Amino acid sequence: KRIEILFSNPSEMNYIDIKFLAAVLRNVTLNCNKSLKTVVVDQLIEDITTGLEYNDYQSLRKRLSEVIYFVELINLKVIPRTYLIPMLYKIVCYGHENNYPSRDTYCEADGFDDFFRIKMISEILSRVYAQHVLHQLSPFIKFMRFFNYYIFTKEHPLSIDVSNKLADMFRHLKD
C-alpha cells in the first residue's frame, strides 16, 4: 500500500525529478507486479480527471505534476501511447457542454480567462517523444486543429507565459 502511495504522488517531487519516478516505476513493474502498474496508472488518470472537474487554483502545481508524470510514463512505455490523444481531448473538453468548448457557452470549470488547460497540453506536447506523435499522425493533426480552435475560444490576448509555453511546444513538435 505504501509503495502505491509513493508512486501515485508525483506532486511530492520537483518537476525535473518526475521522470526518475517514472523510470523507477517502469523498472519495478517490468517483469512482475503488473498490479502495481495498473493501480498507479488508474489512480493517475483518476487524479487528472478529478483535477479537471474541480479546477482548484491551489492544486495547479499538483495537476501539472500529474500530466508530466503521465507523459513520462508514456515515453517509457509504461502507459500505451494510444492513451495520449484521448487524454489530450479529455483535458480540453472535460466539463464543457456536449464535451465541446465554445465561445458562446461558458464553462465554470474552464472559464474564458483560464489558460491552465492550455498550459497542461503544452507541457505534455513539449515533453512527449516524437515517435509517439508520429505513430498517430492523423489523429494528432486533427487534435492540433481542435486545440487551435480551443485556444481561439479563450480570452485574447494570451498572457506572455502562455504564449511562450505555446511557442516552446510548437518548437519542440517541429524538431
Side-chain angles (χ1 to χ4, degrees):
K1 190 71 176 168
R2 279 189 175 169
I3 292 177
E4 289 174 13
I5 292 170
L6 173 75
F7 284 115
S8 298
N9 289 309
S11 61
E12 301 295 322
M13 306 185 82
N14 291 327
Y15 293 145
I16 57 173
D17 294 333
I18 291 174
K19 64 183 171 190
F20 300 119
L21 179 66
V24 170
L25 177 64
R26 184 196 66 195
N27 291 336
V28 166
T29 61
L30 200 56
N31 294 321
C32 60
N33 212 346
K34 302 279 186 203
S35 64
L36 174 63
K37 179 173 87 170
T38 303
V39 168
V40 170
V41 170
D42 284 350
Q43 185 62 50
L44 179 61
I45 292 172
E46 179 65 30
D47 290 346
I48 291 170
T49 305
T50 302
L52 295 171
E53 187 175 335
Y54 292 110
N55 196 24
D56 178 23
Y57 181 77
Q58 293 178 339
S59 68
L60 296 184
R61 186 195 180 294
K62 178 182 185 296
R63 293 171 59 204
L64 202 54
S65 296
E66 291 164 354
V67 296
I68 292 170
Y69 193 36
F70 178 80
V71 76
E72 293 297 343
L73 290 173
I74 287 176
N75 287 340
L76 295 172
K77 300 179 181 173
V78 174
I79 297 176
R81 62 182 163 203
T82 55
Y83 282 43
L84 178 63
I85 302 293
M87 180 56 76
L88 295 172
Y89 276 109
K90 179 184 262 191
I91 290 170
V92 170
C93 296
Y94 192 88
H96 288 274
E97 187 176 315
N98 299 322
N99 285 325
Y100 192 80
S102 170
R103 288 189 114 181
D104 301 328
T105 309
Y106 183 76
C107 174
E108 191 173 317
D110 185 30
F112 298 126
D113 60 345
D114 185 356
F115 304 110
F116 191 70
R117 292 185 188 200
I118 294 173
K119 289 180 184 179
M120 290 171 71
I121 297 293
S122 298
E123 194 66 47
I124 290 172
L125 295 179
S126 294
R127 291 174 179 264
V128 71
Y129 292 166
Q131 66 197 32
H132 302 308
V133 172
L134 294 175
H135 178 73
Q136 311 175 76
L137 191 57
S138 178
F140 181 73
I141 291 170
K142 288 178 186 173
F143 172 77
M144 289 306 294
R145 288 181 183 145
F146 185 74
F147 185 53
N148 280 325
Y149 164 76
Y150 174 73
I151 293 169
F152 171 74
T153 67
K154 294 298 186 177
E155 196 173 272
H156 286 269
L158 298 175
S159 65
I160 292 173
D161 67 322
V162 172
S163 296
N164 289 339
K165 212 51 154 153
L166 287 169
D168 290 345
M169 176 196 73
F170 284 118
R171 193 172 16 262
H172 172 78
L173 292 173
K174 189 175 123 183
D175 293 341

